[in-house]
Amino acid sequence: MATDYYAVLGVRRDASQDEIKKAFRRLARELHPDVNPDPKTQERFKEINAAYEVLSDPQKKQVYDLGGDPLSANGGGGAGGFGAGGFGNFSDIMDAFFGNAAQRGPRSRTRRGQDAMIRLEIDLNEAAFGTTKDIQVDTAVVCNTCSGEGAAPGTSAQTCDMCRGRGEVSQVTRSFLGQVMTSRPCPQCQGFGTVVPTPCPECAGDGRIRSRRTLTVKIPAGVDNGTRIQLAGEGEVGPGGGPPGDLYVEIHEVAHPVFQRRGDDLHCTVTIPMTAAALGTKCPLETLDGLEEIDIRPGTQSGQSVPLHGRGITHLRGGGRGDLIVHVEVITPNKLDAEQERLLRELAKLRGEERPLGQFQPGQQGLFSRLKDAFNGR
C-alpha cells in the first residue's frame, strides 16, 4: 500500500505549499536525529523527509496525486529520499532550526545604492520665506564607459565555469542517515554566477564612478535647524549600476546678528535712554519685512516687551507666521554734566523726591524709577 504523504505531514490534500512547508519544519524540529536519537524517531524522520521531498516539488506532487510513484519516476532512491537525491531539501531542515533558509541561485550584481546627506547653510530670511538653492553633490553615478555593466567595452560577463551559473556549489557527505547535501556560495564568482574577465578600466568593474553635479533644491518657508529635505533618487547609484538611493539635505540656519529665533517667533532687544522710556518715543527697527517704527509708550520699564504680530517665521505646516517680540532695555546715565544734573535735581524737588543720601524709607521709590509717575501726572 502506497504511503500517504499528506498523512505523514499531517496536512489536508488541498494544503498550500506554505502549509506543507510549515508542517515539515515543525516535524523536523521534533524528530531530527540530533534532537531525538531514538531509532523509531529516525525512521519517522526519514518518512517526513520523503513526504516533503514529494509534496514540495510540483512535478513530483502531480505524479503522486495521479497515483504514480514520484520517487521512482524521477530516479529517487526509494522511500525516505536518502538515495542519490537524499536530503534534497536540506536548507529547509536547517531553516526549521535556524529560521532562515539559505538563499539559492546566483546573487544579482545590481543592488540599490545608499542614501546620502549633505549640509546646507541658509540665513534667517531664507528660512522665514523659503528660497531656491543650487548645491554641489559628489556621489556615485553610473559609469558611462560600461553603462553599469562592469565589463570593459567589447566584452561581457561570462558564466562561471565552477558553479555553471548557479552562484553556489554543493557538497555531498555520507552519514548514518544517508547522503547529506550542503550548499555554499561559489568561491570563484562570489555567488554571482558570472565572472568579469576584463573589468571596465574606468570603474574597475563596479559599474559606477564618483562625479560632482549640481542640483537645484527648493527650500520651503519655515524650515529650522535639523530639517531634512528628501530628494528621491538623487543619492548614490548602487553597485552594478543599480537604482540610486535618496539624497537628504539637512538645513543649518546661520545665526542672525539682531534676531534670535525661538520656534516660529523672533526676539530682539532695543536699547533706549531713560528719558525716552519716561516720555515715550518711536524707535525705528529693520525687520524681515522692512523698516518699521516700534511704539514705546510713556513709562515703559526695562524688561518690558512690545509684540509685533505676524512678523516672525512662516509656519512650515499651515498658514500664518509667528510674532516678533521686541524687548526694551532702559539705560540709566552713569555720568551727567552740570546742566543735566541741575535739571534732574529740579525735577526731583518738584516731585518731592530730593532726599539726602540714605534717607529713603522702605517702600519709597527713587527718582529714576518714579519718572513714569512723574510724566503721567501722578
Side-chain angles (χ1 to χ4, degrees):
M1 183 177 179
T3 303
D4 187 348
Y5 291 138
Y6 292 101
V8 170
L9 294 181
V11 297
R12 304 186 310 273
R13 298 189 69 85
D14 59 351
S16 65
Q17 284 295 320
D18 187 56
E19 291 173 331
I20 292 172
K21 180 175 287 189
K22 287 181 179 179
F24 169 73
R25 292 175 181 174
R26 175 178 55 81
L27 292 171
R29 284 194 296 267
E30 297 175 1
L31 303 174
H32 194 277
D34 290 342
V35 177
N36 194 334
D38 183 13
K40 293 183 178 179
T41 302
Q42 294 179 18
E43 291 299 323
R44 172 74 171 137
F45 183 72
K46 292 180 182 180
E47 292 178 0
I48 67 167
N49 186 71
Y52 183 66
E53 182 180 349
V54 172
L55 299 183
S56 63
D57 187 317
Q59 294 181 346
K60 293 180 179 180
K61 183 175 182 295
Q62 183 179 18
V63 172
Y64 175 73
D65 289 340
L66 293 175
D69 186 348
L71 296 178
S72 297
N74 289 277
F82 284 89
F87 270 122
N89 295 298
F90 180 75
S91 63
D92 289 307
I93 297 176
M94 297 301 294
D95 189 29
F97 288 92
F98 301 105
N100 212 349
Q103 295 293 326
R104 295 189 173 185
R107 293 191 297 132
S108 174
R109 291 186 179 272
T110 302
R111 300 193 301 276
R112 181 184 184 274
Q114 294 183 341
D115 295 336
M117 185 177 71
I118 64 171
R119 172 176 172 170
L120 177 63
E121 291 188 344
I122 63 174
D123 59 36
L124 182 63
N125 194 75
E126 293 170 331
F129 302 112
T131 186
T132 300
K133 290 277 192 178
D134 288 336
I135 59 175
Q136 297 290 324
V137 182
D138 187 4
T139 59
V141 298
V142 175
C143 176
N144 292 326
T145 302
C146 65
S147 300
E149 296 296 327
T155 67
S156 60
Q158 297 180 4
T159 301
C160 175
D161 57 8
M162 177 176 286
C163 66
R164 300 184 183 277
R166 295 192 304 272
E168 60 182 14
V169 292
S170 300
Q171 180 179 5
V172 179
T173 58
R174 298 187 62 84
S175 71
F176 69 96
L177 295 174
Q179 292 181 334
V180 178
M181 180 179 295
T182 58
S183 299
R184 59 187 177 90
C186 175
Q188 179 167 294
C189 67
Q190 310 303 318
F192 293 116
T194 59
V195 294
V196 181
T198 310
C200 171
E202 183 70 20
C203 65
D206 192 37
R208 54 182 182 169
I209 58 174
R210 306 297 298 185
S211 177
R212 177 166 294 182
R213 52 203 173 100
T214 301
L215 296 176
T216 300
V217 183
K218 183 178 180 181
I219 310 299
V223 294
D224 200 352
N225 271 322
T227 299
R228 291 185 179 181
I229 301 171
Q230 181 182 10
L231 302 180
E234 297 293 351
E236 301 275 350
V237 166
D246 297 334
L247 174 65
Y248 291 88
V249 180
E250 185 174 84
I251 299 298
H252 285 259
E253 186 181 300
V254 178
H256 194 273
V258 176
F259 302 114
Q260 298 83 45
R261 180 175 179 178
R262 301 175 190 170
D264 288 341
D265 292 335
L266 295 178
H267 295 256
C268 71
T269 300
V270 295
T271 302
I272 61 175
M274 175 189 68
T275 52
L279 298 173
T281 186
K282 289 187 180 297
C283 180
L285 177 65
E286 189 68 38
T287 71
L288 297 182
D289 299 275
L291 186 64
E292 296 198 23
E293 287 191 338
I294 310 301
D295 186 15
I296 307 296
R297 299 177 63 83
T300 296
Q301 302 296 302
S302 186
Q304 289 185 339
S305 60
V306 180
L308 298 181
H309 300 294
R311 295 295 187 272
I313 304 294
T314 303
H315 298 313
L316 183 60
R317 296 176 179 82
R321 295 169 59 184
D323 300 330
L324 170 59
I325 312 299
V326 181
H327 301 271
V328 179
E329 183 181 50
V330 179
I331 299 299
T332 301
N334 55 16
K335 186 176 181 181
L336 300 174
D337 60 28
E339 181 63 17
Q340 292 170 339
E341 183 175 352
R342 186 190 67 79
L343 290 174
L344 282 177
R345 288 188 181 279
E346 185 66 25
L347 175 61
K349 185 176 181 180
L350 291 174
R351 292 289 298 167
E353 295 177 336
E354 187 69 17
R355 301 281 193 280
L357 185 64
Q359 293 299 309
F360 286 99
Q361 299 298 320
Q364 290 182 320
Q365 295 178 325
L367 169 63
F368 300 138
S369 63
R370 295 181 61 187
L371 285 176
K372 176 181 178 181
D373 295 340
F375 287 99
N376 283 340
R378 297 179 184 176

